[in-house]
Amino acid sequence: MVSNSMNIRRVAGALGAEISGVDLAQPLDDQTILRIRRALVEHQVVFFRDQILTPEAQVRLGARFGSLNIHPYVAGMAGHPEVMEIIKEPEDRVNFGGGWHSDMSFLPAPAIASILYGVEIPDFGGDTLFASQAAAFEALSPGLQRTLEGLNAVHSAGREYSPQGHSAQKRKSMAVAEAEGAVGEFVHPVVLIHPETGRKALYVNPAFTLRIEGWTKRESRPLLHFLFEHCRYEAFTCRFAWSAGSVAIWDNRSVWHFALNDYAGQRRHMRRVTIDAGPPDG
Ligand code: SIN
């Protein structure tokens, strides 16, 4: 399907745009996918309203952006291992994604994008916050930028998914497996250069970044603490209020996100597919 009526409206100063005039459930032509990809790279997170996405349609849409991830610790849907159900039941206390992070930075090759679809949304609350890590990098002094560009950081899923992890095992509504044994540590540059735009972004996050490579945890703590505080500054953020049928697509290479847990006693049900590697056509 060709969408000639696609309209893109920015929603905040640092990042975020709402796209209307496209039905994501239809088989989309290459030009439409290209326009969405360009908007995603430019705005870092894009939002759509009033969509009806079956799991099959969400997988089909995700596959247009690249190969799909199968989460190593969270079970996918039966018959759709690439689709992760993110559910918080009224009696649950802990939510999934309730802290600033970039998806899958704990893998050797982290995910490049995620597509989240709202199935059931609480009457109030349950918004998702996004923070531009490109804006965060650009706001630093040239001196600190240069220093950070020479550093790598060590990431791991251990805090979230190991048996000692602080939250994964408390999410009873989701099939979250504890990692058995070592979850592995993987090194990524502290400053990522976006392969499509050349724009630089900070790439450390409080959920998965353990330390600066070659530094002890104690030595790393003050710098990481500074960056974690800096990176969530309000002017770098936007906030998405979900309705059933909303879709958000974000670029994990330059965006943090945070699922707010402010809807106790209500149910929230989302489905996510996560894109591992670049688009099939380069
Ligand atoms: C996540 O992918 O971290 C979940 C985001 C959300 O549920 O809003």
Side-chain angles (χ1 to χ4, degrees), residues 248-264:
I249 308 181
W250 62 86
D251 188 332
N252 281 301
R253 296 164 292 192
S254 64
V255 174
W256 276 5
H257 59 285
F258 186 131
L260 285 172
N261 186 5
D262 59 350
Y263 52 97

Side-chain angles (χ1 to χ4, degrees), residues 197-218:
T197 61
R199 196 174 177 197
K200 293 174 182 169
L202 289 167
Y203 195 70
V204 288
N205 68 84
F208 304 126
T209 308
L210 300 183
R211 61 183 185 280
I212 303 295
E213 186 190 37
W215 299 17
T216 64
K217 273 194 178 167
R218 183 163 156 259

Side-chain angles (χ1 to χ4, degrees), residues 86 96-97 101 103 116 128 242 250 257 259 268 270 272:
I86 299 177
F96 183 86
H101 64 286
D103 288 334
L116 188 66
T128 307
W242 293 90
W250 62 86
H257 59 285
R268 183 175 183 271
M270 319 293 282
R272 192 180 94 190

Side-chain angles (χ1 to χ4, degrees), residues 3 47 64 70 85 89 119 133 155 165 177 197 208 213 240:
S3 175
F47 307 110
R64 299 297 302 278
I70 296 183
E85 299 227 71
E89 297 291 359
V119 180
Q133 298 309 293
H155 297 240
T197 61
F208 304 126
E213 186 190 37
F240 189 58

Side-chain angles (χ1 to χ4, degrees), residues 16-262:
E18 192 158 320
I19 302 183
S20 55
V22 58
D23 180 352
L24 297 174
Q26 296 301 317
L28 297 172
D29 67 295
D30 290 347
Q31 202 191 333
T32 303
I33 290 290
L34 188 63
R35 286 173 73 190
I36 297 173
R37 268 177 50 196
R38 285 199 178 131
L40 173 63
V41 165
E42 180 182 348
H43 299 289
Q44 303 172 77
V45 53
V46 290
F47 307 110
F48 303 81
R49 297 280 184 191
D50 303 322
Q51 303 291 322
I52 300 175
L53 280 187
T54 60
E56 292 80 5
Q58 194 170 352
V59 167
R60 192 170 56 227
L61 175 68
R64 299 297 302 278
F65 290 84
S67 59
L68 299 185
N69 172 268
I70 296 183
H71 200 287
Y73 308 120
V74 181
M77 284 181 83
H80 301 287
E82 318 87 339
V83 182
M84 224 168 77
E85 299 227 71
I86 299 177
I87 298 173
K88 181 168 179 271
E89 297 291 359
E91 63 276 14
D92 287 338
R93 291 167 64 86
V94 178
N95 69 331
F96 183 86
W100 285 114
H101 64 286
S102 314
D103 288 334
M104 326 300 280
S105 83
F106 55 81
L107 293 181
I112 62 169
S114 302
I115 303 180
L116 188 66
Y117 173 64
V119 180
E120 189 178 339
I121 304 300
D123 290 340
F124 56 83
D127 294 357
T128 307
L129 308 177
F130 297 90
S132 168
Q133 298 309 293
F137 176 75
E138 287 156 9
L140 295 171
S141 65
L144 183 52
Q145 287 180 343
R146 273 195 302 277
T147 301
L148 295 174
E149 284 182 273
L151 299 176
N152 293 312
V154 179
H155 297 240
S156 159
R159 267 193 229 128
E160 284 291 312
Y161 295 105
S162 72
Q164 296 75 35
H166 60 72
S167 62
Q169 53 272 53
K170 297 187 194 123
R171 288 187 286 263
K172 296 199 175 50
S173 309
M174 290 177 58
V176 178
E178 288 174 2
E180 286 182 17
V183 292
E185 293 187 347
F186 299 99
V187 172
H188 305 299
V190 168
V191 179
L192 277 193
I193 302 177
H194 198 288
E196 289 173 66
T197 61
R199 196 174 177 197
K200 293 174 182 169
L202 289 167
Y203 195 70
V204 288
N205 68 84
F208 304 126
T209 308
L210 300 183
R211 61 183 185 280
I212 303 295
E213 186 190 37
W215 299 17
T216 64
K217 273 194 178 167
R218 183 163 156 259
E219 289 165 348
S220 306
R221 208 171 293 132
L223 176 58
L224 289 178
H225 178 76
F226 165 75
L227 290 174
F228 296 160
E229 288 296 308
H230 168 77
C231 289
R232 61 180 193 170
Y233 172 51
E234 292 83 346
F236 307 149
T237 69
C238 71
R239 176 174 182 145
F240 189 58
W242 293 90
S243 342
S246 301
V247 174
I249 308 181
W250 62 86
D251 188 332
N252 281 301
R253 296 164 292 192
S254 64
V255 174
W256 276 5
H257 59 285
F258 186 131
L260 285 172
N261 186 5
D262 59 350

